[in-house]
Amino acid sequence: MAKTTFRIGGVHPDDAKVSRGCAIEVLPLPQTVYISMAQHLGAPAKPVVAVGDSVKAGQLIAEAGGFISANVHSSVSGKVKSIAPRKDIAGNNVLHVEITVEGDEWAEGIDLSDTLVTEIPGDRAAILDRIKACGVVGLGGATFPTHVKLNPAPGSVAECLIINGAECEPYLTSDFRIMLERPKEIVVGAAIMKKVLGDCRCVIGIEENKPEAIESMSKAVAELGYPGIEVLSLKKKYPQGGEKQLIDAVMRRQVKSGGLPISVGAVVQNVATSLAVYEAVQKNKPLVTNVMTITGDCLPVEKQHNYQFRIGMPLSYIAEYAGGVPEGAAKIISGGPMMGRAVANMDACTVKGSSSLLYLSEGATKRSEPGNCIRCGRCADACPMGLEPFFLFKLAKVGDMDQLEANAVQDCISCGCCQFSCPAFLPLLDQINIAKGQVLGILKARAAAAKAAAEAAKK
Amino acid sequence: MDKYLVSPNPHVHAAVSSDSLMRDVIIALLPAIVVSVVFYGWSELLVLAVGALSCVLLEYVIARWLMKDLHLFSGSSALVTGLLLSMNLPSTTPWWVVFIGAIVAIGVAKMSFGGLGQNVFNPAITGRVFLLVSFPTYLTHWEIPGGLWGADAVTGATPLGAIKEGLMQGGTVQDIMAANGYSYGQMLFANLGGSAGEISAIALLLGFVYLLVRRVIKPHITLSIWATVFVFAGIMWLINPARFTDPVFNLLTGGMILGSCFMATDYVTSPMSDKGGIIFGVGIGLIAMLIRYFGSYPEGVSFAILIMNAAVPLINRFCHQKKFGRA
């Protein structure tokens, strides 16, 4: 099979997939869960339960708060104890529904059996409704509501559905494990989304460092026999799982700056999302569980795990259950080491998109003292968007917004390749992220002003 | 929770630092250093030691007491500058001349611009060119290798110098080559007069391959210099082989290999983009050959690199990476 990858930039961090051999285990229920109302991209969900209500697992507890938003369901059965702001992993206050766990009773109509349902419903709108009702969001990192992505604006045509099994972040193995343990469900999920998008081509992209996953997925595709689905082996390179990079790798097409994937005929969904779509459509099960990896360079392999968790479980509860935070940990990260977020608050709870608890030692993660830029150009070679981080860094320091925009700081995907490869240890991405935020603000204000002017002219 | 670090992504870093890159450059220079010491003997070792030590010392003194910021001291980079400066000098250069070269390289060309990463001109070449125009007698007379244990060291001219001299006296290239008994084999394996770093093309190329394999440098600049020299010299040689030396001779003699592999590829003073690197290399190749063929100096690589150093900001302004999803 021809191996391919994206054409611009990229780096090769040590993949450190120590936990690849850890089969998925189901976490026991805690006494209390705290379910966030903002666990997707877009507007927070609006609670539809009141304090004191009894809820069942899988029952709707909050409705989508806008067009780009998603429903939220209870992950446990029990009593709503409070609906109040609570700190998330970064320490920001977010509205959470606190539920005291009582037993484990699921809402009516949810099929919890293991029976594989391969028959795909015929009605496209009904499928979309089900995905929307079940609160499915993209589980590859951005948590963009899936039903919105699967329903492109009129006029745009999906030519290729790309299922993202790249899992290019070092350490993480949750996608790898579901590809080994639940390949058929993922393929059925892919077939469902393919159908929704009008029976386009479907490619499941997996990096070559996961040969078992490639084999398992290929076998599932062959056995299920849906037409037009193929597995593609990709050369290992970070950030292969970046949406634009994966489209470039699979379709050799580059999404224009500021454009959406659908503009080049692509829709990208993660393997975990595909599994969630399967469960939503075939089993009527809302997105209340996901798989996360407990890993790190200071955690011995026998203490590493892949856990199926329910949303709303406190991170501290999961860490305790797994044997506590290891002695040598200097930083705790939710997500991968390249793009994950440092956990500032272990009382924060899992969300739909949680993918890991990553413990890094001081040696692995401590930043070195920055030196002078030696103009080696490694950051520019590494940037998968073809930007010049050394230049953006300088511009950001002096705050030259016009030049920052002209040099495409707004195209930055914050993948961290520049800072990862800088031999002078410059905080390139820190500066660029700040500048990107400012430039995006300017672009938004300009677009709003132009819209207002156009409307005024109409009148 | 207060004992854990919290900072934005990325949370890991590649196993590379400015010091590790400079260490690789020093390792890459080792074969040529060993060959030059074996062929030129103890006097070469003295030149190398004085160059290396004085560059490191001067950088430290300037950073600490003149600029009052020890962060500006980068020992590994100063060591590379010192070694390259020494390798560009004849083994007979007096120690105090080497020291003056180090003052110009580190003090003038590097630290007065703000230290590591800030200089426009390659420090080692600036030092060498300063010495070349200030102390021409010391810098243009070479010792034919006598070796570490060999006794009979003879002084003479470099092949490029001999040919320039011979042509001015009305000889043809073929006659001069034959009279001096030059062969490509000699040029590859260190047997001709010249600066330490000029004598063994093979040893330098070994270092160059090491740098490529370790991905310390990219080949664009070096290869475009070679291609330009080869094509330009080839055309001139085909037109008049009596007047113009052949392309292989031009690639193997003088500072061409040292300059193209180690000096033109200096991060700080070369363009950032691959496209810019190619323009930079073509410029160096052309200017070096114009000086060799038509200038009054027999050798032009140092001048060519300095001239193109000055053009780097301009090249950077017009040559950018190809951005993703933008025309």
Side-chain angles (χ1 to χ4, degrees):
Chain A
M1 195 180 291
K3 284 182 188 132
T4 172
T5 186
F6 55 98
R7 291 170 288 180
I8 299 180
V11 293
H12 297 91
D14 175 14
D15 70 353
K17 306 255 185 200
V18 187
S19 53
R20 62 189 303 142
C22 306
I24 299 169
E25 305 157 65
V26 178
L27 278 173
L29 293 176
Q31 286 173 341
T32 313
V33 296
Y34 304 85
I35 298 174
S36 167
M37 295 295 105
Q39 35 186 320
H40 45 260
L41 203 77
K46 291 188 188 114
V48 292
V49 288
V51 175
D53 285 2
S54 282
V55 292
K56 289 179 180 168
Q59 181 185 328
L60 184 76
I61 56 168
E63 272 176 349
F67 176 65
I68 297 183
S69 184
N71 289 347
V72 176
H73 302 76
S74 176
S75 60
V76 294
S77 54
K79 260 204 178 69
V80 177
K81 196 173 165 202
S82 75
I83 301 173
R86 188 182 154 84
K87 284 186 168 49
D88 69 1
I89 60 160
N92 299 323
N93 272 323
V94 172
L95 193 64
H96 282 70
V97 174
E98 178 184 1
I99 301 169
T100 311
V101 179
E102 291 164 2
D104 189 18
E105 200 182 327
W106 286 71
E108 287 288 306
I110 297 175
D111 178 2
L112 290 172
S113 73
D114 284 340
T115 331
L116 187 75
V117 184
T118 56
E119 192 70 33
I120 296 172
D123 184 5
R124 183 178 168 273
I127 297 176
L128 269 178
D129 278 348
R130 187 68 69 79
I131 292 172
K132 183 178 176 184
C134 286
V136 180
V137 298
L139 298 175
T143 58
F144 189 84
T146 302
H147 65 274
V148 181
K149 218 170 172 183
L150 288 177
N151 197 11
S156 35
V157 180
E159 289 172 51
C160 184
L161 167 67
I162 301 174
I163 303 296
N164 183 359
E167 202 167 46
C168 59
E169 277 271 16
Y171 291 102
L172 308 191
T173 56
S174 55
D175 286 353
F176 172 72
R177 287 313 306 187
I178 62 168
M179 286 191 279
L180 282 199
E181 298 181 31
R182 308 189 67 185
K184 286 189 176 164
E185 287 96 325
I186 296 171
V187 174
V188 176
I192 293 168
M193 290 190 280
K194 181 172 171 300
K195 170 149 195 159
V196 171
L197 291 168
D199 260 330
C200 56
R201 190 179 152 222
C202 173
V203 176
I204 305 172
I206 307 172
E207 282 196 337
E208 61 188 335
N209 63 339
K210 293 177 271 290
E212 304 93 329
I214 294 173
E215 193 188 328
S216 149
M217 293 301 292
S218 302
K219 204 171 136 218
V221 168
E223 281 176 16
L224 288 165
Y226 295 109
I229 301 182
E230 57 182 297
V231 175
L232 181 66
S233 171
L234 302 163
K235 268 186 216 153
K236 179 181 168 297
K237 188 161 79 166
Y238 175 87
Q240 191 100 250
E243 196 167 54
K244 291 181 175 178
Q245 279 63 39
L246 193 62
I247 294 169
D248 187 38
V250 173
M251 299 172 74
R252 297 279 132 179
R253 290 183 193 172
Q254 293 188 346
V255 179
K256 292 264 172 293
S257 169
L260 291 172
I262 193 69
S263 66
V264 295
V267 174
V268 181
Q269 296 287 359
N270 186 269
V271 282
T273 316
S274 197
L275 181 58
V277 164
Y278 167 83
E279 292 191 327
V281 177
Q282 307 293 70
K283 302 283 198 174
N284 197 27
K285 185 183 162 210
L287 179 50
V288 293
T289 64
N290 193 1
V291 178
M292 71 195 289
T293 307
I294 313 295
T295 182
D297 72 314
C298 50
L299 196 63
V301 59
E302 65 274 10
K303 287 194 159 179
Q304 303 211 358
H305 299 278
N306 283 297
Y307 283 138
Q308 187 191 82
F309 66 90
R310 300 212 190 166
I311 59 170
M313 287 180 167
L315 296 179
S316 52
Y317 165 78
I318 298 172
E320 273 320 305
Y321 180 79
V325 176
E327 200 60 31
K331 198 188 233 180
I332 305 171
I333 297 153
S334 171
M338 294 299 286
M339 280 195 83
R341 300 177 73 178
V343 178
N345 168 26
M346 282 296 273
D347 293 330
C349 296
T350 52
V351 288
K352 292 172 181 174
S354 293
S355 62
S356 81
L357 265 183
L358 168 63
Y359 304 113
L360 289 182
S361 67
E362 192 166 313
T365 193
K366 188 151 193 259
R367 290 185 173 195
S368 297
E369 183 87 8
N372 275 0
C373 171
I374 57 169
R375 299 198 243 168
C376 63
R378 279 167 184 259
C379 54
D381 285 342
C383 180
M385 296 308 289
L387 309 180
E388 293 166 321
F390 62 91
F391 190 42
L392 297 175
F393 180 69
K394 263 190 200 164
L395 291 172
K397 274 188 154 176
V398 297
D400 186 339
M401 293 300 146
D402 292 340
Q403 278 297 309
L404 280 164
E405 188 191 333
N407 286 281
V409 74
Q410 62 275 24
D411 288 2
C412 169
I413 57 167
S414 303
C415 64
C417 287
C418 53
Q419 197 165 319
F420 172 81
S421 34
C422 178
F425 305 105
L426 294 173
L428 294 167
L429 184 59
D430 297 0
Q431 283 284 346
I432 290 171
N433 267 334
I434 295 168
K436 179 171 76 167
Q438 290 166 330
V439 168
L440 285 174
I442 292 170
L443 291 178
K444 211 170 166 187
R446 196 186 298 152
K451 200 173 165 192
E455 267 168 29
K458 245 186 237 169
K459 283 173 195 165
Chain B
M1 265 319 285
D2 52 6
K3 69 188 173 107
Y4 299 110
L5 297 167
V6 175
S7 61
N9 70 311
H11 306 288
V12 288
H13 194 277
V16 62
S17 67
S18 300
D19 280 337
S20 79
L21 294 171
M22 294 303 155
R23 200 184 312 128
D24 273 340
V25 174
I26 293 167
I27 291 170
L29 285 172
L30 280 178
I33 288 174
V34 170
V35 170
S36 64
V37 171
V38 167
F39 277 82
Y40 284 109
W42 301 112
S43 61
E44 173 60 34
L45 201 60
L46 182 73
V47 170
L48 285 165
V50 171
L53 286 178
S54 47
C55 277
V56 175
L57 192 72
L58 282 165
E59 175 142 334
Y60 183 81
V61 167
I62 293 170
R64 173 140 189 203
W65 283 293
L66 289 181
M67 300 171 86
K68 300 188 194 310
D69 183 0
L70 251 189
H71 285 105
L72 295 170
F73 170 70
S74 160
S76 55
S77 150
L79 185 57
V80 169
T81 299
L83 289 174
L84 285 172
L85 172 68
S86 300
M87 292 175 77
N88 270 288
L89 302 174
S91 62
T92 48
T93 315
W95 68 267
W96 56 272
V97 172
V98 182
F99 186 71
I100 291 173
I103 293 176
V104 174
I106 295 294
V108 178
K110 187 178 178 189
M111 300 309 271
S112 66
F113 283 85
L116 183 65
Q118 308 292 314
N119 49 299
V120 177
F121 297 100
N122 184 304
I125 302 189
T126 309
R128 175 195 134 85
V129 164
F130 178 83
L131 295 181
L132 183 67
V133 296
S134 312
F135 304 95
T137 31
Y138 292 124
L139 265 89
T140 50
H141 231 74
W142 317 84
E143 189 179 272
I144 300 290
L148 207 49
W149 298 275
D152 309 321
V154 199
T155 55
T158 63
L160 280 170
I163 284 178
K164 192 111 219 166
E165 192 74 25
L167 284 172
M168 290 209 304
Q169 287 163 4
T172 67
V173 169
Q174 292 95 326
D175 292 345
I176 306 162
M177 295 274 275
N180 286 286
Y182 295 142
S183 74
Y184 296 146
Q186 277 182 319
M187 296 168 198
L188 276 172
F189 296 104
N191 233 334
L192 294 170
S195 302
E198 295 177 16
I199 59 164
S200 175
I202 287 282
L204 289 168
L205 289 174
L206 204 66
F208 176 60
V209 170
Y210 175 79
L211 290 184
L212 287 182
V213 170
R214 297 274 297 163
R215 291 170 189 263
V216 173
I217 57 171
K218 291 198 281 180
H220 300 72
I221 295 173
T222 311
L223 294 185
S224 59
I225 294 176
W226 293 353
T228 309
V229 168
F230 193 84
V231 169
F232 185 75
I235 293 170
M236 300 305 280
W237 178 65
L238 284 175
I239 293 172
N240 187 355
R243 167 75 177 81
F244 300 109
T245 46
D246 67 79
V248 179
F249 175 86
N250 275 298
L251 282 176
L252 293 180
T253 51
M256 189 59 78
I257 303 284
L258 182 66
S260 62
C261 297
F262 292 95
M263 322 277 270
T265 53
D266 170 33
Y267 292 141
V268 179
T269 55
S270 62
M272 307 285 295
S273 61
D274 297 348
K275 212 190 325 169
I278 291 169
I279 295 172
F280 181 70
V282 169
I284 291 172
L286 269 181
I287 296 170
M289 286 316 298
L290 287 174
I291 294 174
R292 281 185 177 186
Y293 282 164
F294 306 107
S296 57
Y297 280 100
E299 168 60 313
V301 174
S302 298
F303 290 107
I305 294 175
L306 281 189
I307 292 168
M308 289 310 291
N309 281 165
V312 166
L314 193 66
I315 294 173
N316 278 341
R317 195 181 166 84
F318 291 104
C319 296
H320 292 281
Q321 299 276 118
K322 202 191 162 324
K323 292 183 174 65
F324 188 103
R326 281 173 185 256

